[in-house]
Amino acid sequence: MASREDIGSWLDGGATPGGGGDDRLGLPREGSGSMASLGRRVVALAVDWAIALAISALVPGGNDFVPLLVLAAMNIVLVGSVGYTIGHRLLGLQVRVLGAPGTGTVEGAFVGFWRSAVRTVLLCLVIPAVVWDGDGRGLHDRAAGTVITRR
């Protein structure tokens, strides 16, 4: 018969070899440089979406895709150049390039417009952004080779 501990460990995600996603990615568990929580990432996206809606309201005769295009443009330009969107900045987050396995993030690495465009297109498709890998990164970040960390 299964014990309560067996079910509890399964519901908690079970034991992961070598620790959590932070350990596997070479990031600290807490503080600056650690992986951002899901809650912070969602709130940052909501802030960015609200800004995109406000900007798109200024466009006369705009259609339903204007806010999405504004959000995409903001993400590509801001993440590609400074490594964070306005929402990320307000919540103390940053998009960083993930280094080779075991080396963590590349300090001060320029995300670049190519990586930023890849993650933004997948973010706008929604599904890759709400499906996570075993490390807790969205598939859009995994495809771009990035990770969202605390500043």
Side-chain angles (χ1 to χ4, degrees), residues 6 19 35 37 46 48 82 85 90 92 95-96 111 121-122 127 130-131 135-136 140:
D6 292 336
M35 249 176 111
S37 68
D48 291 335
V82 294
T85 63
L90 291 175
V95 180
R96 295 187 180 189
V111 174
V121 167
L122 294 174
I127 299 300
V130 298
V131 175
D135 298 324
H140 65 303

Side-chain angles (χ1 to χ4, degrees), residues 92-138:
L93 305 178
Q94 183 172 3
V95 180
R96 295 187 180 189
V97 176
L98 192 63
T103 62
T105 59
V106 179
E107 290 300 322
F110 179 66
V111 174
F113 294 106
W114 176 248
R115 287 180 195 269
S116 179
V118 167
R119 77 180 297 279
T120 298
V121 167
L122 294 174
L123 174 71
C124 290
L125 291 175
V126 178
I127 299 300
V130 298
V131 175
W132 302 285
D133 65 4
D135 298 324
R137 292 188 301 157

Side-chain angles (χ1 to χ4, degrees), residues 53-113:
L53 284 173
I55 292 171
S56 66
L58 302 174
V59 176
N63 63 29
D64 293 339
F65 286 105
V66 172
L68 187 62
L69 294 174
V70 171
L71 180 74
M74 283 183 357
N75 267 276
I76 290 172
V77 171
L78 293 175
V79 170
S81 60
V82 294
Y84 49 81
T85 63
I86 296 168
H88 289 149
R89 180 68 175 173
L90 291 175
L91 285 142
L93 305 178
Q94 183 172 3
V95 180
R96 295 187 180 189
V97 176
L98 192 63
T103 62
T105 59
V106 179
E107 290 300 322
F110 179 66
V111 174
F113 294 106

